[in-house]
Amino acid sequence: MELNKLTVQNFRNYSNLQLEFSTGINIFLGANAQGKTNLLEAIYVLALTRSHRTSNDKELINWQNQTATVSGSVWRDNYKLPLEITFSKKGKKALVNHLEQAKLSQYVGNLNVVLFAPEDLELVKGSPAIRRNFIDREFGQINPKYLFNATQYRNILRQRNNYLRQLQLQQAHDLVYLDVLTEQLVNYGAHILLARKSLLAKLEKVAHQTQQAITDGQETLTFKYVSAIKLTELADLTAIKTALTNKFASQKNRELQQGTTLVGPHRDDLQFLVNGQNVQSFGSQGQQRTTALAVKLAEIDLMKIETGEYPVLLLDDVLSELDTKRQTHLLKTIQDKVQTFITTPSLSDVARHLIKKPKIFLVEAGKVTEE
Amino acid sequence: MQYPEPITQLIASYMKLPGIGQKSATRLAFYTLGMDEEDVTGFAQALIAAKRDLQFCSICGNITENDPCIICQDTSRDQTTVLVVEQSKDVMSMENTHEYHGLYHVLHGVLSPLNGQGPDDINITSLVTRLQDHSDISEVIVATNANSEGEATAMYLARLLKPAGIKVTRLAHGLAVGSDIDYADEMTLIKAVEGRTEL
């Protein structure tokens, strides 16, 4: 899918703006604090009805006005789909093909976007919980059964932790019920682990190729799934269930002492290895950034494999953090494949000549001109 | 300015009902003032009767006027099957099918430690004693809701009752009767395929 037109009214620092995009790479070029990211935000909002920068929709409305409107037209398999979203003090209104949608969930999904912002570096640098959330969110988008199992798992985990706490404080005594909760957790946990195993293998394959491409074959990216059970040796659901059940049995006394669940996919982690070394501890800033980017880009390809369509890619301030070599390979990897929007304060000559017919927009104090 | 005491009392009483706030309670209270005295007396008596004349059946736990309840007293019903439900309302739903002719047991809740309901807090002990006293009961159908708590309750009952040689069954998951496949959500469809039956 591609976004070929965007109209923005009273949104952030823009009073009235109309832009036409290329189906390849579009670049918003300008100094700091001129409104580059606001344009990416407008595209993000048009796709998902909410901003990635704020939870308060009122901030999106230009301070001198009452309502803000973002509209655009999306190309999907040979037909044009107009989308529009309006924010006012009363709330928001979303229109598909000029018809107002009663539920926002019916609106979302008409334009898929993937955003890569500087904060996404946390995927590599941050805590395991950030990576688990990434896995659950992305796989949940692709696979509804994964989403169901993950939701059930989270629910039962809360019940089980609460019950373990009651057992620890001697407020409850029935261990048969604890076994039931364990069995439920093993059941949903095994489904999650099996799905993670197969989807991570697919993601790893694409991320590996992307990392090779961005680094000109110098860096090899592999994934290592860290879990209390040896997932790589377990082939099917029954084997995973048995391994989890045994692990729970061996940890039962410790769980009763500590009053919390110690085994399961909610305690696992995903490590990224570059040339065999954990990039979180041993990688340079540039390597960490490239890895995070390769994983995000791989996610786009996985979406294409699983759902059949590429989303629109938004890259916020990514180029300036990469050396010219990495920039070159990144741009080579994405062009001809995904419609991309990039913000950057400066554009190296290499990048400028490399991109086939890039559309460059100069952004200055809320005015946008085509170069 | 304050309303006269009787009206404030009435508003406060209405506000104890679920879903009724200050505004609705005030509207209802003033409507009550305009009602016929006969209707108001009837209303008040119905409220008291519902509380005083109803009790829980000592056998199945369902709400009833006389203990034991009509269903438990009815010897023409199938005495070998007990259907376990979460609440009294569910008994009415099953009865309206006119297809199930066995007995019931009402748990008055579902296992959920987060809501402070453990195995001792719902009506499970009385089910176990009931099964011990009536050895002719051979099957227990667990009809708890199709969510993780309902499932945990069903699994707990199965672990408790199976060693005693009682058959424990669970209601099926799947497509709603008369529904269109294109309106069903993905998980319902997946469950329906898993629980398919041979023709």
Side-chain angles (χ1 to χ4, degrees), chain A residues 61-75:
Chain A
I61 307 170
N62 186 301
W63 60 279
Q64 288 166 322
N65 287 280
Q66 301 296 316
T67 58
T69 307
V70 182
S71 58
S73 94
V74 180
W75 264 109

Side-chain angles (χ1 to χ4, degrees), chain A residues 148 159 174 179 183-184 188, chain B residues 112-113 148-149 151 156 159:
Chain A
F148 173 79
Q159 296 279 15
D174 195 330
D179 288 344
E183 192 186 327
Q184 277 193 308
Y188 289 109
Chain B
S112 170
S148 62
E149 287 86 12
E151 199 185 338
Y156 180 77
R159 286 200 181 209

Side-chain angles (χ1 to χ4, degrees), chain B residues 56-62 64 67-69 126:
Chain B
F56 294 122
C57 172
S58 57
I59 300 174
C60 69
N62 195 8
T64 175
D67 186 27
C69 70
S126 69

Side-chain angles (χ1 to χ4, degrees), chain B:
Chain B
M1 202 195 114
Q2 290 270 317
Y3 288 124
E5 171 80 19
I7 301 183
T8 351
Q9 286 280 346
L10 188 55
I11 294 173
S13 303
Y14 275 126
M15 279 173 69
K16 287 180 181 153
L17 300 175
I20 308 275
Q22 175 103 44
K23 284 239 167 87
S24 307
T26 312
R27 193 168 50 82
L28 289 172
F30 276 92
Y31 181 80
T32 313
L33 289 185
M35 280 163 69
D36 289 342
E37 183 156 352
E38 207 177 311
D39 290 342
V40 176
T41 322
F43 187 24
Q45 275 166 355
L47 277 177
I48 294 167
K51 193 67 200 166
R52 276 203 195 133
D53 301 344
L54 285 182
Q55 50 183 319
F56 294 122
C57 172
S58 57
I59 300 174
C60 69
N62 195 8
I63 43 165
T64 175
E65 273 180 273
N66 305 305
D67 186 27
C69 70
I70 310 170
I71 296 174
C72 290
Q73 279 180 355
D74 187 349
T75 47
S76 70
R77 297 186 78 107
D78 178 7
Q79 303 289 320
T80 63
T81 319
V82 172
L83 190 125
V84 179
V85 293
E86 287 180 22
Q87 31 178 337
S88 300
K89 279 195 289 185
D90 301 338
V91 173
M92 280 315 292
S93 307
M94 281 308 295
E95 278 300 281
N96 288 337
T97 65
H98 301 293
E99 278 296 315
Y100 177 73
H101 302 295
L103 304 170
Y104 292 96
H105 197 89
V106 185
L107 293 178
H108 294 294
V110 67
L111 291 177
S112 170
L114 282 174
N115 297 323
Q117 289 194 309
D120 300 334
D121 303 305
I122 60 175
N123 217 359
I124 289 177
T125 329
S126 69
L127 175 65
V128 175
T129 25
R130 184 178 175 188
L131 294 173
Q132 281 165 350
D133 295 347
H134 298 84
S135 53
D136 40 345
I137 300 175
S138 59
E139 180 174 355
V140 170
I141 305 170
V142 188
T144 48
N145 289 336
N147 51 29
S148 62
E149 287 86 12
E151 199 185 338
T153 312
M155 284 161 71
Y156 180 77
L157 288 177
R159 286 200 181 209
L160 223 56
L161 305 179
K162 269 195 178 157
I166 296 167
K167 185 176 165 193
V168 183
T169 52
R170 177 100 172 90
L171 291 192
H173 301 286
L175 284 180
V177 175
S179 64
D180 286 355
I181 285 188
D182 56 347
Y183 281 114
D185 67 289
E186 283 112 345
M187 249 357 264
T188 304
L189 283 177
I190 289 170
K191 287 279 175 201
V193 172
E194 280 173 5
R196 66 189 183 276
T197 48
E198 198 179 326
L199 295 173

Side-chain angles (χ1 to χ4, degrees), chain A residues 116 120-121 123-125 131 134 203 206-208 210-212 214-215 219-223 270-275 277-280 283-299 322 326:
Chain A
F116 187 83
D120 285 313
L121 193 55
L123 184 62
V124 174
K125 272 173 131 180
R131 286 182 286 280
F134 167 78
L203 190 69
V206 194
H208 170 83
T210 314
Q211 182 100 355
Q212 290 254 308
I214 299 176
T215 61
E219 288 176 12
T220 317
L221 174 65
T222 45
F223 290 179
L270 178 67
Q271 286 180 359
F272 302 112
L273 308 183
V274 169
N275 298 335
Q277 296 228 314
N278 187 353
V279 74
Q280 185 180 19
S284 73
Q285 286 273 0
Q287 278 179 324
Q288 289 177 342
R289 192 166 295 274
T290 318
T291 305
L293 192 58
V295 173
K296 274 272 186 176
L297 291 176
E299 176 56 36
L322 299 174
R326 280 172 202 245

Side-chain angles (χ1 to χ4, degrees), chain A residues 332-352:
Chain A
K332 264 191 183 164
T333 318
I334 55 177
Q335 76 176 346
D336 300 329
K337 202 156 86 176
V338 195
Q339 188 190 24
T340 310
F341 295 87
I342 301 174
T343 66
T344 181
S346 64
L347 195 58
S348 70
D349 289 344
V350 196
R352 192 180 281 263

